[in-house]
């Protein structure tokens, strides 16, 4: 059985919020339930599976989304072999591991203890009392926010050993963590056993990948020189003039997807929560000033991937309030981004159609992360000599807060937030009675007042005090996911008492 999750975006705490450790305890419970289901065989017998592979499909430890970059001498687009660069990555990584120790401890426990499920009786049934530990092998692939762990060299290997120790990884830390499956033979064979082809998906995003995963991209500059600086600058200049609802909201800008919709979201937040037109104007002025500096950044103006005039002009229309379209601003931004990657909508399934493993039918399941939007899209059904091959595209979603624009009146720039988590499971041979996959995606809605006051119940953490650029973690609790101890999985996959 292969389980895939992605886009955890665990940070060092200097910007945005991360998911609660409770979510990872829930993951362990769900993997145990999946293992029980996978041990039900096509012939009706129960036979425990021999191993579980857990794939972390990129953007797990978020090195980019740290405000440390603003205070140091290095930036992600500098020489990665320079001492200042490595020191910055090392400091941020250490802080991420320390801040998320409890959450990462859940991964470590999976590696050390495995998943305990009932052993099988002689007649092929789950034993009542005897438990059997199933080993868990956790694999780490990098995306565009943790690409630093793909860098070669002993310094980065030493950093990877630290990560592997904290997380209990099976991935070899003495080599770069893979960005593509073929960079790690063990991972490639794991995917092929399950008829899966998986990658983070950043390779299809021209803002976050420029042909070399050992190098920075335009998205890094957007996050550090625009989003991170904006939060600091607004706090410095306008903290006493803005309502707490606005300040709390602005600390959530890294949860907007796609990121270029951030100014649209800021506009809606200000209209809704800031009653003073002069203050709203000043916030937008701060954003536009930083946007101008970003657009004038050498890294932006001297891209080899696109024509500089086209990309800068498009970014000006997308980012600046002074250049905004009077009608359909958000729609234009979305369509422009789709066109840059040669698509006609927000889904990445069109890219899955061009994957070699899809075309040669080696893979039944094409999996990406990156977009934070869970999807299951049927791609093709092939019939030959009585054999049927169904192929589908999956997106592994995210494990964090997601803001989505409302559909009723897009021109009003309104968004609704929810905490989200998704996991995918793929089965081989006769596991899960021959069923090929199982996916789960859940959301926990956010109270409109949650950014100011959080309830102290159901494990919720209370912290309403304003912080310069950080917010408290909001635990995800999804009672409808967790099975009480009195429930087991029936042979047909239903949950029964």
């Amino acid at each position: 059985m292969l389980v895939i999750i992605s886009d955890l975006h665990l940070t060092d705490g200097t910007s945005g919020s991360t998911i609660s450790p409770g979510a990872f305890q829930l993951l362990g419970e769900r993997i145990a339930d999946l293992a029980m289901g996978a041990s039900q065989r096509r012939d009706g017998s129960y036979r425990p599976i021999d191993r579980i592979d857990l794939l972390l499909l990129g953007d797990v430890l978020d090195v980019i989304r740290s405000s440390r970059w603003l205070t140091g001498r290095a930036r992600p687009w500098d020489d990665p072999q320079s001492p200042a660069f490595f020191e910055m990555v090392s400091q941020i990584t250490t802080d991420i591991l320390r801040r998320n120790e409890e959450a990462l401890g859940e991964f470590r426990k999976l590696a050390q203890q495995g998943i305990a499920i009932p052993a099988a009786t002689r007649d092929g049934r789950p034993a009542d009392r005897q438990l059997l530990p199933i080993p868990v092998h956790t694999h780490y692939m990098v995306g565009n926010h943790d690409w630093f762990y793909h860098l070669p060299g002993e310094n980065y290997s030493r950093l990877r050993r630290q990560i592997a120790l904290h997380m209990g990884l099976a991935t070899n830390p003495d080599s770069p963590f893979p960005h593509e499956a073929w960079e790690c033979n063990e991972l490639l064979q794991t995917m092929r056993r399950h008829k899966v082809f998986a990658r983070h998906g950043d390779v299809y995003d021209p803002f976050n990948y420029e042909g070399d995963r050992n190098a920075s991209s335009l998205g890094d500059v957007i996050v550090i020189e625009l989003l991170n600086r904006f939060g600091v600058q607004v706090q410095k200049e306008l903290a006493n003039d803005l309502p707490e609802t606005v300040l709390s909201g602005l600390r959530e800008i890294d949860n907007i997807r796609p990121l270029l919709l951030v100014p649209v979201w800021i506009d809606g937040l200000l209209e809704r929560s800031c009653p003073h037109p002069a203050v709203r104007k000043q916030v937008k002025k701060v954003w536009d000033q930083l946007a101008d500096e970003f657009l004038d950044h050498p890294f932006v103006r001297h891209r080899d991937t696109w024509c500089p005039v086209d990309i800068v002009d498009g970014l000006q229309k997308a980012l600046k309030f002074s250049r905004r379209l009077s009608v359909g601003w958000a729609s234009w931004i979305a369509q422009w981004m789709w066109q840059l990657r040669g698509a006609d909508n927000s889904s990445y399934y069109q890219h899955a159609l061009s994957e070699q493993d899809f075309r040669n039918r080696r893979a039944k399941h094409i999996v990406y992360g990156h977009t934070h939007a869970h999807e299951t899209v049927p791609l093709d059904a092939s019939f030959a000599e009585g054999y049927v091959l169904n192929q589908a595209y999956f997106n592994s979603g995210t494990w964090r807060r997601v803001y989505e624009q409302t559909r009723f009146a897009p021109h009003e720039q309104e968004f609704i937030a929810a905490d989200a988590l998704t996991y995918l499971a793929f089965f081989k041979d006769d596991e899960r009675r021959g069923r090929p996959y199982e996916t789960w995606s859940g959301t926990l809605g956010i109270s409109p007042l949650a950014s100011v006051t959080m309830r102290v119940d159901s494990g919720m953490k209370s912290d309403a005090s304003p912080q310069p650029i950080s917010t408290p973690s909001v635990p995800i609790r999804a009672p409808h996911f967790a099975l009480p101890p009195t429930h087991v999985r029936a042979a047909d996959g239903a949950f029964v008492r």
Side-chain angles (χ1 to χ4, degrees):
M1 180 179 75
L2 171 62
V3 179
I4 299 179
I5 62 175
S6 74
D7 296 271
L8 279 60
H9 289 277
L10 300 176
T11 70
D12 62 2
T14 62
S15 58
S17 58
T18 56
I19 201 168
S20 162
F24 300 100
Q25 296 170 6
L26 179 62
L27 175 65
E29 296 171 6
R30 297 304 297 148
I31 291 178
D33 180 65
L34 288 166
M36 275 285 291
S39 299
Q40 300 283 350
R41 305 300 175 150
R42 186 181 279 111
D43 63 4
S45 67
Y46 172 83
R47 188 169 72 254
I49 57 177
D50 57 359
R51 63 180 282 165
I52 299 166
D53 288 283
L54 173 62
L55 173 56
L56 309 178
L57 193 59
D59 285 2
V60 179
L61 307 184
D62 193 334
V63 181
I64 291 295
R65 192 74 173 106
S66 171
S67 293
R68 270 189 178 273
W69 291 108
L70 297 177
T71 62
R73 294 177 294 137
R75 292 290 196 274
W77 43 91
D78 293 339
D79 178 7
Q81 300 304 323
S82 71
F85 187 104
F86 174 75
E87 181 182 0
M88 179 64 70
V89 175
S90 179
Q91 287 177 349
I92 293 173
T93 300
T94 299
D95 289 346
I96 294 173
L97 296 176
R98 182 186 301 116
R99 182 172 187 262
N100 298 279
E101 168 59 29
E102 187 178 354
L104 298 178
E106 295 295 324
F107 289 107
R108 192 166 61 249
K109 184 165 67 174
L110 288 175
Q112 293 171 348
Q113 302 177 12
I115 289 291
I117 64 173
T121 63
R122 290 182 178 179
D123 58 351
R125 296 179 179 275
D128 290 335
R129 300 179 183 276
Q130 184 182 0
L131 294 178
L132 181 68
I134 308 301
V136 177
H137 302 259
T138 303
H139 311 269
Y140 194 122
M141 293 183 73
V142 302
N144 53 293
H145 278 243
D146 50 6
W147 62 267
F148 308 90
Y149 308 131
H150 188 260
L151 290 166
E154 177 55 30
N155 279 342
Y156 291 100
S157 291
R158 190 167 64 248
L159 201 57
R160 286 187 287 268
R161 292 185 202 112
Q162 183 183 3
I163 297 169
L165 181 65
H166 274 76
M167 299 183 67
L169 299 179
T171 308
N172 179 14
D174 293 327
S175 299
F177 285 168
H179 177 242
E180 299 289 359
W182 52 80
E183 296 174 356
C184 174
N185 185 61
E186 181 184 1
L187 177 59
L188 181 63
Q189 296 308 315
T190 296
M191 289 188 189
R192 289 187 173 171
R193 283 197 302 271
H194 295 85
K195 308 299 183 184
V196 167
F197 175 81
R199 56 170 25 142
H200 181 67
D202 52 336
V203 296
Y204 299 114
D205 181 351
F207 287 101
N208 287 294
Y209 182 76
E210 299 184 15
D212 182 1
R213 197 57 291 173
N214 286 339
S216 191
S217 59
L218 192 59
D220 297 350
V221 190
I222 293 174
V223 171
I224 292 170
E225 299 294 348
L226 186 53
L227 301 191
N228 285 0
R229 287 184 63 197
F230 177 66
V232 172
Q233 199 66 25
V234 168
Q235 183 74 26
K236 178 181 178 181
E237 295 185 18
L238 300 166
N240 295 328
D241 301 320
L242 286 169
E244 176 58 25
T245 50
V246 175
L247 293 173
S248 297
L250 292 179
R251 291 193 287 268
E252 293 290 306
I253 59 177
D254 68 319
N255 289 322
I256 307 300
R257 288 296 183 279
L259 279 179
L260 292 189
L261 284 182
V262 165
V264 178
W265 182 78
I266 292 173
D267 196 26
L269 175 68
L270 292 173
E271 292 296 326
R272 181 174 63 251
S273 304
C274 183
H276 306 296
V279 177
R280 293 200 299 267
K281 183 177 180 180
Q282 187 60 30
V283 173
K284 294 177 183 180
K285 182 179 179 181
V286 170
W287 175 269
D288 275 2
Q289 288 174 341
L290 292 176
D292 280 334
E293 294 178 21
F294 159 75
L295 292 165
D296 200 43
H297 195 285
F299 194 92
V300 179
R301 288 202 164 271
H302 300 292
R303 304 317 311 127
D304 294 330
T305 310
W306 312 286
C307 169
V309 174
D310 291 342
I311 193 67
V312 171
D313 183 64
L315 285 170
Q316 284 179 337
K317 292 179 182 178
L319 292 175
K320 294 189 63 177
F321 288 103
S322 60
R323 292 286 304 275
R324 63 173 290 182
L325 301 174
S326 57
V327 178
W329 188 22
S331 298
W332 181 87
I333 292 173
Q335 291 174 7
W336 178 64
M337 292 182 66
W338 302 341
Q339 291 170 3
L340 283 177
R341 60 182 180 85
D344 57 10
N345 59 56
S346 60
S347 176
Y348 275 36
Y349 83 85
Q350 296 171 72
H351 304 299
L353 294 170
S354 64
E355 296 288 1
Q356 183 178 3
D357 276 28
F358 166 77
R359 289 184 171 273
N360 64 23
R361 299 179 181 174
R362 176 180 284 155
K364 294 180 180 179
H365 322 293
I366 309 297
V367 182
Y368 302 153
H370 187 60
T371 69
H372 295 197
H374 166 61
E375 286 187 281
T376 301
V377 181
L379 298 180
D380 190 32
S382 305
F383 306 87
E385 299 179 354
Y387 178 75
V388 180
L389 175 66
N390 294 331
Q391 295 175 284
Y393 161 73
F394 303 83
N395 191 283
S396 50
T398 187
W399 283 58
R400 63 174 302 169
R401 186 161 296 178
V402 175
Y403 282 78
E404 287 197 71
Q405 190 177 16
T406 57
R407 306 303 200 265
F408 178 68
H411 59 279
E412 293 182 0
Q413 290 107 39
E414 296 293 347
F415 290 73
I416 294 178
D419 288 328
L421 62 85
T422 297
Y423 59 85
L424 315 175
F426 300 94
F427 309 105
K428 63 183 180 67
D429 304 328
D430 67 343
E431 293 177 350
R432 192 64 166 84
R433 289 188 171 274
R435 292 178 180 263
Y437 63 85
E438 181 174 343
T439 76
W440 286 78
S441 185
T443 56
L444 181 62
I446 306 300
S447 165
L449 302 179
S451 59
V452 182
T453 304
M454 281 183 273
R455 296 171 54 200
V456 189
D457 65 358
S458 301
M460 298 297 282
K461 181 177 178 181
S462 177
D463 185 353
S465 58
Q467 301 293 329
I469 45 177
S470 65
T471 55
S473 298
V474 181
I476 288 186
R477 297 290 186 187
H480 56 288
F481 283 169
L483 295 177
T486 54
H487 286 66
V488 297
R489 184 187 288 277
D492 65 353
F495 296 126
V496 297
R497 187 176 295 275

